[in-house]
Amino acid sequence: MKLSNLVIMFYITLLMVSCSKNDDATKTEQKIETPNARQQAINDYQNMFVAAKVNNFTWNGNTSNCTSGTLSKEVLDKALLRLHYFRKAAGLSNNGIVFLNDLNNKSQQNALMIKANNKLDHFPTSDWKCYTAEGAEAARYGNIAFGLSDVDNIDLWIEDEGSNNKEVGHRRWMLFSKATNFGFGCTNSSGTLWVINSGASKIPLPASTPKFIAWPPANFIPSAVVYPRWSFSIPVSSYPFQVDFSKATVSMTDAAGIAIPLLIEYANTIQSIYVGDNAIVWRPSGIKLNCKEDQKYKVNISNVMVEGNPKNYWYEVTIINP
């Protein structure tokens, strides 16, 4: 789950695509797309995403004497709020989704190790500068990043760009249907988010779990959080998770019914090693992100084997610029 600090962005290309009004809505438009739903998406974005911005973050640690530093309650609260935003937008419950002090402390130690050694590794060795056993534990069980500070790391993990992240593992752990406890630590140029909890795969699905978990999600979503990689996961109770995307197909159309070119980058099979809920990941081309008018896209995913049965799914994503 390594994440390079050099994130290659494709926004310039995407912004060059011409915009058009979505006057030709499909006949199968979902009932959930109402004016209230659109306003709710805007409210959540303003009150949970934008409100989580940290101004003038200062790290009080030191790599010279291996002081990991401490994060203020404000920074921790805002990091959790940003995590809650992404989960809520994906239709997931945030009940019980908290930062534990013990996991925060371990994550903070790992963030120091990353900064002190100027590199990322989920299995750091004892010869690392500022090495601690607890920091190394956080590296094994966490999302790690180098190059950004404070809550910006949360966005980076959801975006999950980079050649090593085709399975969007960072994103899937954060949007895991059975997620419970998290921990967060950061410096002014590194971050760690504890995401893996022992035994979580075998607990029952929460009653409020949606039928699927997509990013970008169904319904209205601000363009600022629509990233080049799209993903779709299906949560199930049984373990190993009985969801096989190896023969699945993905197609997309815009509001006028014009096909959107895309490339499937990753498709989960049934396996005992898991990274959150099983998923399929693709990269569409020509998505319009800089339009004043809402832009609607229909996604069709076919031939997914779920607990031995082939299933098809469809949903609509409406990109807005609040």
Side-chain angles (χ1 to χ4, degrees):
M1 294 189 293
K2 293 181 181 179
L3 196 60
S4 171
N5 56 311
L6 298 177
V7 181
I8 301 176
M9 310 301 291
F10 293 92
Y11 295 144
I12 295 177
T13 301
L14 294 174
L15 296 181
M16 292 175 64
V17 180
S18 63
C19 299
S20 62
K21 292 185 178 180
N22 283 340
D23 294 330
D24 300 322
T26 61
K27 293 181 180 179
T28 52
E29 185 175 2
Q30 300 180 58
K31 293 181 180 179
I32 51 177
E33 293 200 356
T34 65
N36 287 339
R38 188 182 192 281
Q39 188 59 51
Q40 185 63 56
I42 294 173
N43 292 345
D44 287 344
Y45 177 71
Q46 295 293 338
N47 297 332
M48 300 180 74
F49 183 90
V50 176
K53 178 178 175 58
V54 175
N55 296 311
N56 303 316
F57 173 77
T58 301
W59 177 55
N60 59 9
N62 191 309
T63 57
S64 298
N65 59 14
C66 293
T67 301
S68 62
T70 57
L71 298 183
S72 67
K73 183 178 184 301
E74 178 193 8
V75 171
L76 288 170
D77 286 348
K78 288 188 172 182
L80 184 60
L81 183 62
R82 186 67 62 86
L83 173 61
H84 280 185
Y85 167 74
F86 285 111
R87 288 183 57 85
K88 182 179 180 183
L92 293 161
S93 170
N94 283 314
N95 291 335
I97 302 299
V98 297
F99 285 166
L100 297 184
N101 289 335
D102 180 51
L103 302 186
N104 289 341
N105 292 335
K106 293 177 179 180
S107 298
Q108 189 64 33
Q109 291 178 53
N110 181 247
L112 167 67
M113 290 167 56
I114 293 170
K115 181 176 177 63
N117 293 275
N118 198 32
K119 61 182 179 181
L120 296 170
D121 197 322
H122 282 289
F123 300 95
T125 54
S126 59
D127 60 347
W128 272 40
K129 183 179 179 180
C130 301
Y131 176 89
T132 65
E134 291 187 332
E137 184 183 11
R140 291 195 302 274
Y141 293 105
N143 289 349
I144 56 178
F146 184 72
L148 293 178
S149 67
D150 59 80
V151 303
D152 290 341
N153 287 290
I154 303 293
D155 310 348
L156 192 65
W157 289 314
I158 290 289
E159 179 179 7
D160 240 358
E161 193 52 66
S163 60
N164 292 329
N165 299 307
K166 291 182 178 180
E167 71 276 18
V168 295
H170 304 88
R171 178 190 298 176
R172 287 161 58 197
W173 279 124
M174 294 165 70
L175 303 181
F176 186 27
S177 60
K178 299 182 180 183
T180 53
N181 302 318
F182 289 81
F184 180 72
C186 70
T187 70
N188 56 355
S189 62
S190 62
T192 300
L193 181 72
W194 187 294
V195 294
I196 303 175
N197 291 286
S198 178
S201 64
K202 298 180 180 179
I203 66 175
L205 283 173
S208 59
T209 302
K211 292 182 179 180
F212 61 82
I213 302 165
W215 199 270
N219 309 323
F220 297 94
I221 190 71
S223 62
V225 291
V226 176
Y227 304 114
R229 283 190 173 122
W230 292 39
S231 61
F232 178 91
S233 300
I234 300 175
V236 294
S237 290
S238 56
Y239 179 81
F241 299 142
Q242 301 297 306
V243 178
D244 187 349
F245 287 98
S246 61
K247 296 181 180 180
T249 61
V250 180
S251 63
M252 292 178 59
T253 55
D254 64 13
I258 299 173
I260 301 296
L262 60 87
L263 173 67
I264 294 177
E265 292 192 326
Y266 176 81
N268 245 133
T269 58
I270 298 172
Q271 53 187 324
S272 57
I273 299 175
Y274 74 103
V275 183
D277 300 295
N278 286 10
I280 190 167
V281 182
W282 67 97
R283 188 187 292 271
S285 301
I287 300 300
K288 301 171 184 176
L289 296 177
N290 200 35
C291 298
K292 182 178 180 180
E293 301 85 6
D294 295 353
Q295 300 296 314
K296 183 182 293 185
Y297 297 93
K298 183 177 180 180
V299 180
N300 288 280
I301 302 177
S302 304
N303 200 33
V304 184
M305 296 300 293
V306 181
E307 298 179 324
N309 300 306
K311 293 191 176 183
N312 303 324
Y313 300 84
W314 75 269
Y315 59 99
E316 291 177 340
V317 176
T318 302
I319 300 174
I320 62 177
N321 274 292

